[in-house]
Amino acid sequence: MTVDLPRDEPDVDDRADGRDETPNERADRNWLELLQELRVMQTGTQILTGFLLAVAFQPRFSDMDELQRDLYVVLVALSAIATILALAPVGMHRALFGHRRKPDLVRIAARIVRIDLAVIGALTIGVTTLIVDFTVNRTTGIVALVAALVLVIALWLALPRVMRGRRRSDVTGEE
C-alpha cells in the first residue's frame, strides 16, 4: 500500500522518509500511486469478468454440476463487487473535487483498495478452482484452491509483513 508513515504516531517527522514534501504534496503523490494500483487491479478484474461472462454462453456450461454453478454465481457477484470497489475512489474523487479533502480521500481510498484486493484474491482463487474442478475433477480443484490460497496468503500477506519487519530492523539496527 502507499501509506508512507503510520498515522497513529503523531511525533513522527513527515520528512523522516527522505521526502521534503508538504502534506498536500504527499496526498497528491499517494493519490497518484493509488490510481496506478487501481489501474492494475481493474485490468485484472476486467479480464476475469470477461471470462466469467463468456462462460455462461458456452455450450458446456450446462455440463456444470450444482456446486460449480453455485461457485460460478458467487464469482460473478465477487467480480461485480471488485469492479464497484475499484471505481469507488474515482467516484469519490469526482464528488470531492475542489473541496480540499484529498488527504481524507487518500486514507479512505487506501482502505477500499485493501478490501478490493481481498475480493480480487477470493475471485482469483475461485476462478482457478472452478476451472480446475470443471476440467479435471473435484479433488484436483480442491488442491488448486488450497495452492492458490497459500500463494495469495504468502505473497500478499506474509511477504509484506516480513519485509516490514526487516525494514524496522534495518532502521533500528536490530537483527
Side-chain angles (χ1 to χ4, degrees):
M1 228 22 58
T2 59
V3 178
D4 294 312
L5 295 170
R7 291 291 170 216
D8 56 349
E9 298 179 23
D11 297 331
V12 174
D13 182 0
D14 280 344
R15 290 177 250 201
D17 63 358
R19 292 184 171 99
D20 186 18
E21 56 192 4
T22 67
N24 284 336
E25 290 169 334
R26 181 173 298 265
D28 288 341
R29 180 177 53 79
N30 285 340
W31 176 248
L32 291 175
E33 290 179 15
L34 273 170
L35 283 180
Q36 190 59 31
E37 292 171 3
L38 285 166
R39 284 183 188 105
V40 171
M41 293 166 59
Q42 187 63 26
T43 300
T45 302
Q46 286 173 336
I47 291 167
L48 288 173
T49 302
F51 164 76
L52 288 169
L53 294 176
V55 165
F57 298 101
Q58 298 304 310
R60 290 196 57 206
F61 184 76
S62 60
D63 293 345
M64 289 178 146
D65 65 28
E66 187 176 352
L67 179 64
Q68 292 166 336
R69 279 192 301 278
D70 290 347
L71 177 57
Y72 173 81
V73 170
V74 169
L75 294 173
V76 169
L78 285 174
S79 180
I81 292 167
T83 300
I84 291 165
L85 287 170
L87 294 174
V90 177
M92 289 173 45
H93 181 263
R94 277 295 97 212
L96 295 172
F97 188 78
H99 288 85
R100 300 175 190 244
R101 302 289 305 268
K102 189 159 291 171
D104 294 330
L105 174 65
V106 169
R107 190 181 75 260
I108 292 168
R111 290 180 185 154
I112 291 171
V113 167
R114 283 190 187 108
I115 294 166
D116 199 18
L117 275 171
V119 172
I120 292 170
L123 177 61
T124 304
I125 292 165
V127 166
T128 303
T129 302
L130 179 62
I131 292 169
V132 174
D133 182 86
F134 184 75
T135 58
V136 182
N137 60 43
R138 179 78 22 98
T139 302
T140 309
I142 292 169
V143 170
L145 181 144
V146 171
L149 182 62
V150 167
L151 272 172
V152 166
I153 289 171
L155 295 175
W156 293 9
L157 299 174
L159 182 58
R161 183 167 285 166
V162 167
M163 290 176 69
R164 278 193 304 270
R166 285 190 180 156
R167 172 86 170 118
R168 282 191 201 118
S169 66
D170 291 346
V171 170
T172 62
E174 299 171 4
E175 302 222 33

